[in-house]
Amino acid sequence: MKSRSRFISVVLCFLFSIALSNAAQQQIDEFSPFQFSVLGDNRPHGAPEKIIQPDIFKRAIQEINLLGSEFTVIIGDLILGYDDDKRLIIAEWDEFFKTCERFTNPYYPVVGNHDVFDKQSEKMWVKRLGPLHFAFSHKGCRFICLYSEDPEKMNFILDEQVAWLESELQEHKDAKYIFVFLHKPLWREYYFPEGNTNWMEDVHPLLAKYKVNTVFAGHEHLYELSEEVDGVRYIITGGAGAEIGNMPYRGDFYHHLSVNAQDEEAQIIVIKTGSIFAQDVVTQERVQQVDEFLESVSSKSFSIRLGEAVEKTIRITPKNAFNESIIIDYSVQAPEESGWTCEEKQKQIMLEPGDSTEIIFNITFDGEVVFPVPENKIICIIEEEKVIELATPMDFSIERPVRIKKALGKIKIDGKLSEKSWSAMESAGRWMKTDKSGWAGEITDWFICYDNNFLYMAFDCKEDEMKTIKQTSKEKDWSFLDDDCVIFYLDPVKDGQSRFCFGITAFGVTMDYRAPQGKVDFNWNPKWNIVAKKRKDGYIIEAAVPFEILDCKIPSTGTEWAINAFRMCTPEPPELDGWSFPTQRLSNPAGYGMAVFE
C-alpha cells in the first residue's frame, strides 16, 4: 500500500508541476547538490516473456537504490506493447508498476514507442500515468520530459509542444541546470535522416538559446555520448533491459546513468553491472570507427544458380579506422558437409592506424548442396584484447528462374484453387530461410500464371500450428513481419527502381506500395483482388494483380521480370522464408529471381 501511494504521489507530482509551469510567476528553489539516475528501454524481450520485466532492469533498480538516487527518470519503452489485446497491455503495465515498487524513491516515466503506438495506447498512458509531456523542478534545476511518439506524426515534436517547451525554457532560464528527456535520439542523423524529424530545426535552437545542460534519450539499445552541439550535451542511454547487441566496445552493454549535479558541473557516470565508467566509455567517434571498420571488412554479394558449379572470388579491403594498431584474423569457414570448398581458409594481418589492405579468397560451389552456408569470421584485436568477434553467413543470392504460363481459362479469386490452371501447374520450387540457415521449415507452394488482364498468384502455405498463428493488427499497411503473411515483389523493368510490393496476412489484412525511383510510396492504393482462406493444415493466398496498375504492357512471350516472395511464419520459433535469397534487405532487387513469360 505504501509503494502504491508513492507511485500515485509521483503522478500527482506530474500534474502539479505542469500546473505550476503554466503559472505566470513560478519560483525555482535555491540550488543545492544532488544525485539522480537515468535509464531507458527496460521493456521485455518478447515471446515467451511478453509481460515479465527483465531481471537486468530489476538489478538496475537495486543499484540505483544503493546509490541513493533522489529520483529516477525512465526514458521510454517501459513495456513490450504493440498489441491489440487490451488485457495483455493492461497486464504489462501492471507488471511494470509492480516491478517499480522496488524503487525506494520516486521515478518519472517518459513515453516510448512501445508504450504509445496508437490512439488507444495513448489514452491508456494518460489514464494510468498522466500527461504525455511534463516538467518538474528539483533543488534549483528544471527537468523537461518531451513526447516524441504522437501517433499522428511520430518522431516530431509538434508545434503546440514546441511552444510549450519555449515557454518552459523562458520561465526557468535562471535554473542552475536544465535537463531534457525524450525517448528517441532525434538529433542523430544516422538514425533519423533529414526530413524524418524536426529536432534540429525547431527544438535544438531553443535548447541552445536557453543553455540546456544535457539531453537524454534511449530507443537505441546502447550507450553513446554524442557530439556536443552548440554547448548542449547529448546522450543515448538504452540499456535498461531490452535485447541488446553483442559488441560492448560499440556501446552494447546493459547500464544506467548516475547524474551528480554539483556547483561546478553536472557529472555523469555510466554504471555497468559491478562497474562504474566515465561518460566517454563509448563515444560517437568510437561508434563511427567500429562502423567504418565493419563496412571495410564486409564482402560484396555474389550470385549462384542451382545446378551450376562455379568458383567465386571474395575480396575485402579492411581499413584500420582506430587510433591504435590492430590485428585482423579473417577466415572463411565452409562446412565439410556442404557443397562449398575453400582451399585457403584463414589469413591474419596487422594494420597501423589509417592503413588498409586487400584480402582475397577463392571459394567453389558444386551447384547442388547450398546448406549449410559458409561463414565469414572476423576477429579484431587491439592491445591483445578481442574488441570485435563477428561471424556472418556469406552474402550471396540464388538466381532462380520461373516460367509463367498463360492461364488455361477464367480464374475466380476465392482461395480454393479449383481451376485447371492451378491443378495443372508445377510449384515454383522449394523456399529457404532468409537467414541462410537452411531450407524452409514449412512448405510453401507458389504458383503463377497470367492472361490478357491479370497476373495471378497463388500461395499454398502449409502450417502445423494453425492455432498459434498471429494477427497483431487489422489495419492496412501494418508491419507485416509481425504477422503470418505472404509478401511478393514485382519489378517489371528489372532496374531495382520501379518495384511493386503486395502482401496479405493469413487473416486477410493487405499491404501494398510502389517504389518509383526506389522511393517507397505507401499512399499508393491500387485496386487488386486478393483472398486469404484458412484451413486446418495451413492457409491459401490467391491474388489477381491488374497489369494496368503496374504501369506496364501485357507481357509478350519471352518478357522477363524480376520477382521474389517471402513468407513470415510466427509459430515458435518464428521463421522468415524466401523463394530467392535476398541480399542485405528483403526489398533488394539484387536477390530477386527471374520470371519469364511464355
Side-chain angles (χ1 to χ4, degrees):
M1 188 68 182
K2 181 179 178 181
S3 56
R4 180 177 297 178
S5 298
R6 180 168 61 248
F7 177 75
I8 293 173
S9 70
V10 172
V11 175
L12 291 176
C13 178
F14 291 168
L15 300 173
F16 183 60
S17 61
I18 290 176
L20 287 178
S21 70
N22 292 326
Q25 300 290 331
Q26 180 182 346
Q27 299 298 317
I28 290 285
D29 293 338
E30 187 173 331
F31 174 78
S32 61
F34 65 97
Q35 181 266 335
F36 67 96
S37 292
V38 184
L39 72 170
D41 299 81
N42 56 274
R43 65 167 176 80
H45 294 194
E49 296 297 345
K50 291 185 175 182
I51 297 175
I52 304 301
Q53 289 286 322
D55 288 340
I56 196 74
F57 177 48
K58 297 170 184 176
R59 171 62 182 171
I61 295 174
Q62 181 182 3
E63 294 183 359
I64 288 169
N65 292 339
L66 290 171
L67 286 169
S69 297
E70 296 189 25
F71 60 87
T72 299
V73 182
I74 313 175
I75 48 181
D77 279 4
L78 316 177
I79 64 170
L80 185 60
Y82 281 113
D83 202 300
D84 289 335
D85 188 342
K86 185 176 180 180
R87 289 177 298 180
L88 175 62
I89 299 299
I90 290 173
E92 290 178 26
W93 280 120
D94 289 343
E95 171 64 13
F96 169 75
F97 295 142
K98 180 181 177 181
T99 301
C100 288
E101 290 177 0
R102 298 166 183 250
F103 282 110
T104 56
N105 284 308
Y107 63 96
Y108 294 83
V110 175
V111 180
N113 58 288
H114 279 259
D115 313 317
V116 171
F117 45 91
D118 58 20
K119 286 297 182 182
Q120 184 64 36
S121 56
E122 186 181 65
K123 290 178 182 178
M124 187 176 292
W125 176 283
V126 173
K127 181 178 179 180
R128 300 200 67 171
L129 290 96
L132 297 162
H133 63 271
F134 57 92
F136 61 96
S137 295
H138 186 81
K139 292 187 175 180
C141 298
R142 193 65 174 168
F143 298 79
I144 301 174
C145 301
L146 300 178
Y147 179 42
S148 60
E149 309 307 318
D150 192 314
E152 296 295 332
K153 200 167 186 181
M154 196 170 289
N155 305 333
F156 281 76
I157 307 301
L158 301 185
D159 292 346
E160 183 180 355
Q161 190 178 177
V162 171
W164 171 84
L165 171 63
E166 185 171 16
S167 175
E168 274 289 323
L169 292 169
Q170 169 62 29
E171 190 170 351
H172 301 287
K173 63 180 183 295
D174 294 326
K176 175 69 174 178
Y177 299 117
I178 300 176
F179 301 99
V180 174
F181 307 84
L182 73 158
H183 178 57
K184 291 175 179 170
L186 301 180
W187 64 86
R188 274 286 260 134
E189 189 176 2
Y190 178 84
Y191 302 117
F192 300 92
E194 185 175 342
N196 290 322
T197 181
N198 64 332
W199 185 268
M200 297 309 293
E201 293 79 10
D202 298 336
V203 180
H204 172 77
L206 295 176
L207 308 184
K209 176 181 178 181
Y210 290 99
K211 295 180 172 50
V212 166
N213 182 275
T214 309
V215 179
F216 299 90
H219 190 64
E220 301 302 327
H221 299 172
L222 50 74
Y223 171 80
E224 176 190 290
L225 172 64
S226 302
E227 290 181 353
E228 185 174 294
V229 184
D230 300 324
V232 179
R233 174 169 51 179
Y234 284 99
I235 286 179
I236 303 175
T237 173
E243 60 269 27
I244 208 159
N246 60 1
M247 282 191 282
Y249 192 73
R250 190 186 178 275
D252 299 340
F253 55 87
Y254 290 115
H255 66 278
H256 53 94
L257 307 182
S258 173
V259 184
N260 296 298
Q262 304 294 325
D263 281 316
E264 301 80 14
E265 65 172 340
Q267 181 190 35
I268 296 174
I269 297 174
V270 181
I271 300 174
K272 186 179 179 181
T273 304
S275 303
I276 295 178
F277 296 87
Q279 64 173 331
D280 61 352
V281 59
V282 174
T283 63
Q284 181 173 328
E285 178 188 20
R286 178 185 288 181
V287 172
Q288 291 170 339
Q289 287 174 343
V290 173
D291 291 345
E292 184 179 352
F293 171 76
L294 292 177
E295 179 67 25
S296 75
V297 296
S298 62
S299 59
K300 291 185 178 180
S301 177
F302 60 86
S303 62
I304 61 171
R305 284 198 174 201
L306 296 178
E308 294 183 10
V310 66
E311 183 178 74
K312 293 289 184 178
T313 299
I314 301 173
R315 298 175 186 270
I316 67 166
T317 54
K319 177 183 177 181
N320 182 359
F322 304 101
N323 300 325
E324 305 87 2
S325 300
I326 64 173
I327 295 174
I328 301 172
D329 190 314
Y330 186 90
S331 60
V332 176
Q333 300 178 349
E336 292 183 1
E337 64 271 27
S338 75
W340 303 85
T341 55
C342 183
E343 293 183 2
E344 188 177 11
K345 297 182 179 181
Q346 185 173 12
K347 292 184 179 181
Q348 189 175 87
I349 58 172
M350 181 174 180
L351 289 177
E352 296 298 325
D355 288 352
S356 63
T357 188
E358 183 177 61
I359 297 177
I360 300 175
F361 283 91
N362 291 319
I363 190 165
T364 302
F365 173 57
D366 67 4
E368 300 296 334
V369 185
V370 179
F371 304 107
V373 170
E375 280 190 336
N376 298 324
K377 187 172 183 180
I378 302 157
I379 297 175
C380 178
I381 301 171
I382 298 179
E383 295 178 352
E384 300 184 353
E385 178 186 1
K386 288 184 182 179
V387 297
I388 296 173
E389 185 170 5
L390 193 64
T392 58
M394 188 167 294
D395 189 16
F396 66 93
S397 61
I398 298 180
E399 296 179 7
R400 301 189 74 177
V402 60
R403 299 196 171 274
I404 304 180
K405 297 183 178 181
K406 276 268 193 177
L408 300 178
K410 186 176 181 180
I411 293 179
K412 181 180 180 181
I413 305 301
D414 54 11
K416 296 180 181 179
L417 306 188
S418 55
E419 292 83 2
K420 186 177 180 180
S421 292
W422 299 132
S423 60
M425 194 181 303
E426 291 185 1
S427 169
R430 198 173 180 182
W431 291 41
M432 301 162 282
K433 298 177 183 178
T434 57
D435 64 2
K436 294 184 171 73
S437 62
W439 296 108
E442 295 287 354
I443 295 174
T444 305
D445 288 320
W446 184 17
F447 306 99
I448 318 171
C449 63
Y450 75 108
D451 60 22
N452 290 335
N453 298 302
F454 298 96
L455 179 69
Y456 297 99
M457 298 269 185
F459 299 87
D460 189 350
C461 305
K462 304 296 191 299
E463 178 55 67
D464 295 331
E465 303 292 337
M466 282 298 290
K467 292 182 179 179
T468 62
I469 63 174
K470 283 177 57 178
Q471 180 182 28
T472 62
S473 176
K474 298 179 182 179
E475 297 180 8
K476 186 177 182 296
D477 294 340
W478 186 251
S479 175
F480 268 68
L481 296 186
D482 294 331
D483 296 335
D484 285 83
C485 67
V486 168
I487 304 171
F488 59 93
Y489 292 90
L490 305 174
D491 186 357
V493 186
K494 299 188 302 179
D495 63 353
Q497 300 297 311
S498 307
R499 66 183 184 274
F500 300 85
C501 178
F502 303 86
I504 186 170
T505 70
F507 296 86
V509 184
T510 62
M511 177 270 287
D512 47 54
Y513 72 78
R514 63 180 176 181
Q517 289 78 52
K519 297 179 180 180
V520 174
D521 177 15
F522 274 105
N523 293 321
W524 182 60
N525 291 300
K527 292 183 179 179
W528 57 298
N529 194 2
I530 191 161
V531 168
K533 191 176 184 66
K534 296 193 292 292
R535 60 190 186 197
K536 290 183 179 180
D537 62 344
Y539 59 94
I540 289 175
I541 302 294
E542 189 175 18
V545 179
F547 288 116
E548 63 181 5
I549 70 172
L550 302 177
D551 302 328
C552 66
K553 297 179 181 179
I554 300 170
S556 57
T557 301
T559 298
E560 295 182 349
W561 286 14
I563 192 169
N564 210 355
F566 300 92
R567 176 186 171 189
M568 186 65 203
C569 306
T570 64
E572 295 296 329
E575 179 179 306
L576 179 62
D577 300 329
W579 175 71
S580 183
F581 264 153
T583 59
Q584 299 176 353
R585 63 185 189 278
L586 301 189
S587 59
N588 189 345
Y592 288 9
M594 189 63 64
V596 182
F597 288 84
E598 295 186 343

